[in-house]
Amino acid sequence: MTNPVRPRGTCRVCGGTVLQFLDLGRQPLSDRFRTGSETELEYFFRLEVGACEACTMVQLMHEVPREHMFHEDYPYYSSGSAVMQKHFADTARWLLETEATGPDPFVVEIGCNDGVMLRTVHEAGVRHLGFEPSGKVAEAARASGLRVRGDFFEESTARAVRDTDGPADVIYAANTICHIPYLDSILRGVDALLAPGGVFVFEDPYLGDILAKTSFDQIYDEHFFLFSARSVQAMAASSGFELVDVERLPVHGGEVRYTLARAGARRPADRVAALIAEEDAAGVATLARLDRFATEVGRIRDDLRALLERLRAEGRRVAGYGATAKSATVTNLCGLGPDLVPCVYDTTPAKQGRLTPGTHIPVRPADEFPAAAVDYALLFAWNHAEEIMAKEQAFRQAGGAWILYVPDVHVRN
């Protein structure tokens, strides 16, 4: 998994040299679930990851055009998890209590999905606008009475909103900013739309947690950047902003919420320097640590495939649970098709009856899982493990066991 001769690229943030440390092979679009009748060629790209020598930003070496990923039939709905519903409701209340406090506050969300966060803002009677280019999830948000603009957020669209709605007190994004290679346009848009004393708050998967947990499946086409506090600090400084706060979050396997303000507008919280010091002590941005991560990924790949091959030889019945976007990285890297994982169960109607990207494992409704004759369930949605296992207690009571691969391959009985 390591590279004796490192391919080089150019950093999308600072223009520095990006050195590759990980190659996850030929990968499909992670959220493109196909029907059995579709015959057009499937889109694949090389999933290679590098780190910038100058600003330390970890990023993909190849960009997938955004229209391929975020489209009319985009199948992910943020409201699908009760845990995430509570998280976003709590986040909205926190923003309303701490930042959107003026006489007529205005909250903008980049990538509002089905409106799970903005619903609480709307219910509080606060002006709001969501940007959401994926058609069906945008319609779900509008059906809740939310104001949604069906565009990508960038400098031109941000200026258009400023002209019609005035400045935003808060610009917020969750699991969205890491998707966007053209961060320069995003930050120019934030600068154009944000009120002088406003904040830009975003939360995304945290590089420190990905390395610590070897959660390599957090790397896929939609996750172009893997942020750390140090790299976000450098990104902010390059655009006239300053990282003024950070908060570790337990959701999605480990995230950080970053708060940016205009340079000099606020005193940075002590925990910014504390988290950067923690990263430096762990060597998060060093090639030695990143190379070790690549080696650990190779071990997980080999161990997972060996376990599934052994279970097949023993006649054990295996199924997947959670047709997540990140499962595409696992199944394609490890070569897991229907021969090793005959089906995967999922709660999302838009994925049911379709095939997983690249490996073409059939997706079945999750409510069929309790009736399924399964000995082992490979939990692709490991970041929702406690919620799922609590829901599927009958599986364990019947003698079933869960297979997990984060932070290593193990079986939970």
Side-chain angles (χ1 to χ4, degrees):
M1 305 301 293
T2 56
N3 299 278
V5 179
R6 297 181 188 276
R8 294 169 176 258
T10 301
C11 179
R12 294 297 299 264
V13 175
C14 75
T17 300
V18 175
L19 298 179
Q20 180 182 312
F21 64 87
L22 178 65
D23 182 353
L24 291 169
R26 185 171 177 264
Q27 292 281 343
L29 300 174
S30 60
D31 260 319
R32 183 64 171 92
F33 290 80
R34 300 161 63 87
T35 65
S37 61
E38 288 179 306
T39 58
E40 76 271 19
L41 292 177
E42 196 164 3
Y43 183 96
F44 285 87
F45 74 107
R46 196 78 185 181
L47 185 54
E48 298 170 310
V49 193
C52 178
E53 288 186 301
C55 72
T56 74
M57 184 68 77
V58 172
Q59 57 204 272
L60 301 191
M61 305 291 287
H62 307 286
E63 176 185 349
V64 175
R66 64 188 187 180
E67 294 81 6
H68 287 344
M69 296 183 287
F70 309 111
H71 47 76
E72 182 69 20
D73 294 320
Y74 186 65
Y76 179 75
Y77 288 74
S78 298
S79 297
S81 162
V83 169
M84 294 310 297
Q85 287 183 36
K86 181 179 185 303
H87 169 73
F88 286 122
D90 290 345
T91 297
R93 285 190 285 269
W94 170 71
L95 290 172
L96 293 172
E97 291 168 3
T98 61
E99 300 295 344
T101 57
D104 183 25
F106 181 35
V107 176
V108 173
E109 182 173 9
I110 305 172
C112 70
N113 197 263
D114 60 5
V116 63
M117 191 284 290
L118 284 180
R119 281 198 291 272
T120 300
V121 176
H122 175 55
E123 289 165 1
V126 171
R127 283 195 305 134
H128 65 275
L129 178 68
F131 279 81
E132 182 49 65
S134 301
K136 289 183 178 177
V137 290
E139 284 303 319
R142 292 189 188 100
S144 299
L146 306 179
R147 287 186 64 215
V148 178
R149 181 174 178 135
D151 287 326
F152 290 97
F153 182 94
E154 51 201 347
E155 184 178 7
S156 60
T157 53
R159 290 189 181 281
V161 171
R162 174 69 181 250
D163 291 342
T164 58
D165 293 81
D169 299 275
V170 176
I171 300 176
Y172 170 79
N175 306 300
T176 298
I177 301 305
C178 71
H179 294 184
I180 305 171
Y182 49 95
L183 283 180
D184 53 346
S185 181
I186 294 294
L187 290 171
R188 288 196 302 270
V190 170
D191 186 41
L193 181 55
L194 195 65
V199 290
F200 174 34
V201 180
F202 63 96
E203 54 193 67
D204 281 297
Y206 178 48
L207 176 62
D209 284 320
I210 292 170
L211 296 179
K213 299 176 182 179
T214 322
S215 52
F216 68 95
D217 57 349
Q218 296 276 30
I219 305 170
Y220 52 94
D221 55 344
E222 295 177 14
H223 287 179
F224 189 87
F225 293 107
L226 302 178
F227 294 131
S228 65
R230 179 170 288 284
S231 65
V232 169
Q233 184 183 59
M235 176 192 79
S238 70
S239 300
F241 289 93
E242 188 172 10
L243 178 61
V244 297
D245 204 358
V246 293
E247 181 180 357
R248 299 287 293 269
L249 302 172
V251 297
H252 285 310
E255 296 194 336
V256 167
R257 178 182 290 151
Y258 305 94
T259 300
L260 273 57
R262 287 191 169 82
R266 299 190 181 198
R267 180 184 178 277
D270 292 342
R271 53 187 179 180
V272 173
L275 184 55
I276 290 175
E278 182 181 321
E279 292 173 358
D280 290 345
V284 164
T286 65
L287 281 173
R289 178 65 184 94
L290 297 172
D291 283 343
R292 190 165 84 248
F293 171 75
T295 299
E296 292 165 350
V297 172
R299 173 181 50 77
I300 291 174
R301 174 199 60 197
D302 296 343
D303 289 350
L304 181 58
R305 185 167 179 90
L307 172 61
L308 293 174
E309 288 177 341
R310 177 173 64 80
L311 293 176
R312 179 179 61 183
E314 294 174 354
R316 304 291 187 175
R317 298 160 297 186
V318 176
Y321 198 108
T324 60
K326 61 181 179 288
S327 69
T329 298
V330 182
T331 57
N332 285 273
L333 176 66
C334 301
L336 308 182
D339 58 325
L340 290 172
V341 184
C343 68
V344 57
Y345 293 92
D346 193 89
T347 58
T348 309
K351 298 178 182 179
Q352 295 163 3
R354 292 178 175 262
L355 305 174
T356 60
T359 52
H360 302 165
I361 300 171
V363 181
R364 296 180 180 171
D367 57 12
E368 295 180 4
F369 179 72
V374 174
D375 299 311
Y376 292 85
L378 175 56
L379 186 55
F380 292 121
W382 56 265
N383 51 307
H384 297 294
E386 300 312 316
E387 183 179 359
I388 289 170
M389 290 180 184
K391 174 186 173 185
E392 303 292 0
Q393 292 185 39
F395 171 62
R396 181 176 294 181
Q397 292 168 357
W402 298 93
I403 300 172
L404 295 98
Y405 49 84
V406 173
D408 51 27
V409 177
H410 60 286
V411 175
R412 189 183 299 184
N413 294 318

